[in-house]
PDB file of all heavy atoms in Angstrom:
ATOM      1  N   VAL S  18     149.841 311.103  87.565  1.00 98.00           N
ATOM      2  CA  VAL S  18     150.841 312.003  88.141  1.00 98.00           C
ATOM      3  C   VAL S  18     151.835 312.356  87.047  1.00 98.00           C
ATOM      4  O   VAL S  18     152.367 311.469  86.368  1.00 98.00           O
ATOM      5  CB  VAL S  18     151.575 311.323  89.323  1.00 98.00           C
ATOM      6  CG1 VAL S  18     152.736 312.189  89.806  1.00 98.00           C
ATOM      7  CG2 VAL S  18     150.588 311.049  90.463  1.00 98.00           C
ATOM      8  N   ILE S  19     152.044 313.663  86.850  1.00 98.00           N
ATOM      9  CA  ILE S  19     152.930 314.111  85.773  1.00 98.00           C
ATOM     10  C   ILE S  19     153.942 315.128  86.299  1.00 98.00           C
ATOM     11  O   ILE S  19     153.608 316.012  87.077  1.00 98.00           O
ATOM     12  CB  ILE S  19     152.112 314.765  84.620  1.00 98.00           C
ATOM     13  CG1 ILE S  19     151.142 313.743  84.012  1.00 98.00           C
ATOM     14  CG2 ILE S  19     153.019 315.349  83.541  1.00 98.00           C
ATOM     15  CD1 ILE S  19     150.112 314.347  83.072  1.00 98.00           C
ATOM     16  N   GLY S  20     155.184 314.972  85.878  1.00 98.00           N
ATOM     17  CA  GLY S  20     156.221 315.981  86.148  1.00 98.00           C
ATOM     18  C   GLY S  20     156.962 316.258  84.844  1.00 98.00           C
ATOM     19  O   GLY S  20     157.203 315.337  84.073  1.00 98.00           O
ATOM     20  N   LEU S  21     157.286 317.516  84.583  1.00 98.00           N
ATOM     21  CA  LEU S  21     157.891 317.872  83.295  1.00 98.00           C
ATOM     22  C   LEU S  21     159.300 318.433  83.446  1.00 98.00           C
ATOM     23  O   LEU S  21     159.584 319.177  84.388  1.00 98.00           O
ATOM     24  CB  LEU S  21     157.005 318.914  82.564  1.00 98.00           C
ATOM     25  CG  LEU S  21     155.560 318.490  82.277  1.00 98.00           C
ATOM     26  CD1 LEU S  21     154.807 319.650  81.656  1.00 98.00           C
ATOM     27  CD2 LEU S  21     155.508 317.283  81.371  1.00 98.00           C
ATOM     28  N   GLU S  22     160.141 318.060  82.505  1.00 97.00           N
ATOM     29  CA  GLU S  22     161.486 318.632  82.429  1.00 97.00           C
ATOM     30  C   GLU S  22     161.564 319.412  81.115  1.00 97.00           C
ATOM     31  O   GLU S  22     161.416 318.832  80.052  1.00 97.00           O
ATOM     32  CB  GLU S  22     162.536 317.533  82.435  1.00 97.00           C
ATOM     33  CG  GLU S  22     162.534 316.744  83.745  1.00 97.00           C
ATOM     34  CD  GLU S  22     163.277 315.412  83.609  1.00 97.00           C
ATOM     35  OE1 GLU S  22     162.682 314.449  83.100  1.00 97.00           O
ATOM     36  OE2 GLU S  22     164.435 315.351  84.015  1.00 97.00           O
ATOM     37  N   VAL S 173     162.864 321.946  85.927  1.00 98.00           N
ATOM     38  CA  VAL S 173     162.283 320.665  86.332  1.00 98.00           C
ATOM     39  C   VAL S 173     161.107 320.923  87.266  1.00 98.00           C
ATOM     40  O   VAL S 173     161.244 321.624  88.266  1.00 98.00           O
ATOM     41  CB  VAL S 173     163.327 319.797  87.062  1.00 98.00           C
ATOM     42  CG1 VAL S 173     162.729 318.442  87.464  1.00 98.00           C
ATOM     43  CG2 VAL S 173     164.570 319.621  86.212  1.00 98.00           C
ATOM     44  N   SER S 174     159.968 320.361  86.932  1.00 98.00           N
ATOM     45  CA  SER S 174     158.793 320.582  87.790  1.00 98.00           C
ATOM     46  C   SER S 174     158.682 319.485  88.855  1.00 98.00           C
ATOM     47  O   SER S 174     159.244 318.405  88.701  1.00 98.00           O
ATOM     48  CB  SER S 174     157.504 320.598  86.968  1.00 98.00           C
ATOM     49  OG  SER S 174     156.997 319.281  86.822  1.00 98.00           O
ATOM     50  N   GLU S 175     157.952 319.765  89.884  1.00 98.00           N
ATOM     51  CA  GLU S 175     157.546 318.741  90.845  1.00 98.00           C
ATOM     52  C   GLU S 175     156.497 317.856  90.170  1.00 98.00           C
ATOM     53  O   GLU S 175     155.847 318.285  89.213  1.00 98.00           O
ATOM     54  CB  GLU S 175     156.919 319.418  92.072  1.00 98.00           C
ATOM     55  CG  GLU S 175     157.908 320.153  92.962  1.00 98.00           C
ATOM     56  CD  GLU S 175     158.826 319.192  93.682  1.00 98.00           C
ATOM     57  OE1 GLU S 175     158.326 318.328  94.431  1.00 98.00           O
ATOM     58  OE2 GLU S 175     160.049 319.296  93.483  1.00 98.00           O
ATOM     59  N   PRO S 176     156.316 316.636  90.672  1.00 98.00           N
ATOM     60  CA  PRO S 176     155.267 315.773  90.083  1.00 98.00           C
ATOM     61  C   PRO S 176     153.892 316.230  90.574  1.00 98.00           C
ATOM     62  O   PRO S 176     153.174 315.496  91.231  1.00 98.00           O
ATOM     63  CB  PRO S 176     155.629 314.368  90.602  1.00 98.00           C
ATOM     64  CG  PRO S 176     156.424 314.602  91.836  1.00 98.00           C
ATOM     65  CD  PRO S 176     157.117 315.920  91.709  1.00 98.00           C
ATOM     66  N   ASN S 215     157.286 313.144  82.277  1.00 98.00           N
ATOM     67  CA  ASN S 215     157.308 311.963  83.133  1.00 98.00           C
ATOM     68  C   ASN S 215     155.889 311.689  83.622  1.00 98.00           C
ATOM     69  O   ASN S 215     155.210 312.605  84.089  1.00 98.00           O
ATOM     70  CB  ASN S 215     158.207 312.194  84.338  1.00 98.00           C
ATOM     71  CG  ASN S 215     159.634 312.477  83.933  1.00 98.00           C
ATOM     72  OD1 ASN S 215     160.434 311.566  83.780  1.00 98.00           O
ATOM     73  ND2 ASN S 215     159.933 313.748  83.684  1.00 98.00           N
ATOM     74  N   ILE S 216     155.487 310.442  83.542  1.00 98.00           N
ATOM     75  CA  ILE S 216     154.094 310.121  83.911  1.00 98.00           C
ATOM     76  C   ILE S 216     154.007 308.784  84.628  1.00 98.00           C
ATOM     77  O   ILE S 216     154.729 307.829  84.294  1.00 98.00           O
ATOM     78  CB  ILE S 216     153.195 310.142  82.667  1.00 98.00           C
ATOM     79  CG1 ILE S 216     151.753 309.832  83.052  1.00 98.00           C
ATOM     80  CG2 ILE S 216     153.683 309.181  81.585  1.00 98.00           C
ATOM     81  CD1 ILE S 216     150.730 310.257  82.060  1.00 98.00           C
ATOM     82  N   SER S 217     153.111 308.746  85.617  1.00 98.00           N
ATOM     83  CA  SER S 217     152.794 307.487  86.290  1.00 98.00           C
ATOM     84  C   SER S 217     151.329 307.532  86.668  1.00 98.00           C
ATOM     85  O   SER S 217     150.696 308.591  86.612  1.00 98.00           O
ATOM     86  CB  SER S 217     153.659 307.312  87.551  1.00 98.00           C
ATOM     87  OG  SER S 217     153.371 308.348  88.468  1.00 98.00           O
ATOM     88  N   PHE S 226     153.696 307.074  94.788  1.00 97.00           N
ATOM     89  CA  PHE S 226     153.582 307.209  93.348  1.00 97.00           C
ATOM     90  C   PHE S 226     153.778 305.856  92.672  1.00 97.00           C
ATOM     91  O   PHE S 226     154.456 304.984  93.196  1.00 97.00           O
ATOM     92  CB  PHE S 226     154.689 308.142  92.808  1.00 97.00           C
ATOM     93  CG  PHE S 226     154.456 309.583  93.147  1.00 97.00           C
ATOM     94  CD1 PHE S 226     155.543 310.445  93.341  1.00 97.00           C
ATOM     95  CD2 PHE S 226     153.181 310.109  93.253  1.00 97.00           C
ATOM     96  CE1 PHE S 226     155.342 311.780  93.636  1.00 97.00           C
ATOM     97  CE2 PHE S 226     152.982 311.442  93.544  1.00 97.00           C
ATOM     98  CZ  PHE S 226     154.071 312.273  93.750  1.00 97.00           C
ATOM     99  N   GLY S 227     153.199 305.703  91.516  1.00 96.00           N
ATOM    100  CA  GLY S 227     153.456 304.523  90.703  1.00 96.00           C
ATOM    101  C   GLY S 227     154.798 304.671  89.978  1.00 96.00           C
ATOM    102  O   GLY S 227     155.451 305.720  90.051  1.00 96.00           O
ATOM    103  N   LYS S 229     157.173 305.435  86.973  1.00 96.00           N
ATOM    104  CA  LYS S 229     156.984 306.398  85.889  1.00 96.00           C
ATOM    105  C   LYS S 229     157.654 305.970  84.600  1.00 96.00           C
ATOM    106  O   LYS S 229     158.626 305.193  84.612  1.00 96.00           O
ATOM    107  CB  LYS S 229     157.528 307.770  86.298  1.00 96.00           C
ATOM    108  CG  LYS S 229     159.033 307.884  86.383  1.00 96.00           C
ATOM    109  CD  LYS S 229     159.431 309.330  86.694  1.00 96.00           C
ATOM    110  CE  LYS S 229     160.813 309.470  87.312  1.00 96.00           C
ATOM    111  NZ  LYS S 229     161.913 309.463  86.372  1.00 96.00           N
ATOM    112  N   GLN S 264     160.162 301.014  84.264  1.00 92.00           N
ATOM    113  CA  GLN S 264     160.629 302.394  84.199  1.00 92.00           C
ATOM    114  C   GLN S 264     161.512 302.535  82.972  1.00 92.00           C
ATOM    115  O   GLN S 264     162.536 301.858  82.847  1.00 92.00           O
ATOM    116  CB  GLN S 264     161.400 302.742  85.475  1.00 92.00           C
ATOM    117  CG  GLN S 264     161.832 304.191  85.447  1.00 92.00           C
ATOM    118  CD  GLN S 264     162.289 304.690  86.803  1.00 92.00           C
ATOM    119  OE1 GLN S 264     161.972 304.100  87.828  1.00 92.00           O
ATOM    120  NE2 GLN S 264     163.042 305.780  86.789  1.00 92.00           N
ATOM    121  N   LYS S 282     165.375 301.417  82.255  1.00 61.00           N
ATOM    122  CA  LYS S 282     166.236 301.922  83.324  1.00 61.00           C
ATOM    123  C   LYS S 282     167.457 301.016  83.531  1.00 61.00           C
ATOM    124  O   LYS S 282     168.498 301.486  83.954  1.00 61.00           O
ATOM    125  CB  LYS S 282     165.393 302.074  84.606  1.00 61.00           C
ATOM    126  CG  LYS S 282     165.878 303.180  85.542  1.00 61.00           C
ATOM    127  CD  LYS S 282     165.792 304.561  84.930  1.00 61.00           C
ATOM    128  CE  LYS S 282     166.427 305.633  85.829  1.00 61.00           C
ATOM    129  NZ  LYS S 282     166.324 306.971  85.259  1.00 61.00           N
TER     130      LYS S 282
HETATM  131  P1  ADP X   1     165.039 310.925  87.365  1.00 72.75           P
HETATM  132  O1  ADP X   1     166.135 310.806  88.379  1.00 72.75           O
HETATM  133  O2  ADP X   1     164.526 309.621  86.852  1.00 72.75           O
HETATM  134  O3  ADP X   1     165.317 311.913  86.257  1.00 72.75           O
HETATM  135  P2  ADP X   1     163.680 312.836  88.977  1.00 72.75           P
HETATM  136  O4  ADP X   1     163.327 312.554  90.387  1.00 72.75           O
HETATM  137  O5  ADP X   1     164.845 313.721  88.711  1.00 72.75           O
HETATM  138  O6  ADP X   1     163.799 311.489  88.179  1.00 72.75           O
HETATM  139  O7  ADP X   1     162.409 313.503  88.311  1.00 72.75           O
HETATM  140  C1  ADP X   1     162.392 313.832  86.965  1.00 72.75           C
HETATM  141  C2  ADP X   1     160.997 314.378  86.653  1.00 72.75           C
HETATM  142  O8  ADP X   1     160.037 313.335  86.836  1.00 72.75           O
HETATM  143  C3  ADP X   1     160.540 315.512  87.551  1.00 72.75           C
HETATM  144  O9  ADP X   1     159.853 316.463  86.771  1.00 72.75           O
HETATM  145  C4  ADP X   1     159.590 314.833  88.529  1.00 72.75           C
HETATM  146  O10 ADP X   1     158.563 315.719  88.940  1.00 72.75           O
HETATM  147  C5  ADP X   1     159.008 313.729  87.700  1.00 72.75           C
HETATM  148  N1  ADP X   1     158.604 312.554  88.480  1.00 72.75           N
HETATM  149  C6  ADP X   1     159.304 311.942  89.454  1.00 72.75           C
HETATM  150  N2  ADP X   1     158.642 310.864  89.913  1.00 72.75           N
HETATM  151  C7  ADP X   1     157.492 310.783  89.192  1.00 72.75           C
HETATM  152  C8  ADP X   1     156.388 309.851  89.176  1.00 72.75           C
HETATM  153  N3  ADP X   1     156.329 308.791  89.971  1.00 72.75           N
HETATM  154  N4  ADP X   1     155.403 310.103  88.291  1.00 72.75           N
HETATM  155  C9  ADP X   1     155.451 311.133  87.468  1.00 72.75           C
HETATM  156  N5  ADP X   1     156.453 312.024  87.443  1.00 72.75           N
HETATM  157  C10 ADP X   1     157.466 311.851  88.280  1.00 72.75           C
END
Side-chain angles (χ1 to χ4, degrees):
V18 173
I19 298 169
L21 301 176
E22 295 164 279
V173 182
S174 87
E175 288 291 301
N215 299 271
I216 181 161
S217 62
F226 288 149
K229 71 176 158 82
Q264 183 166 340
K282 209 63 187 181

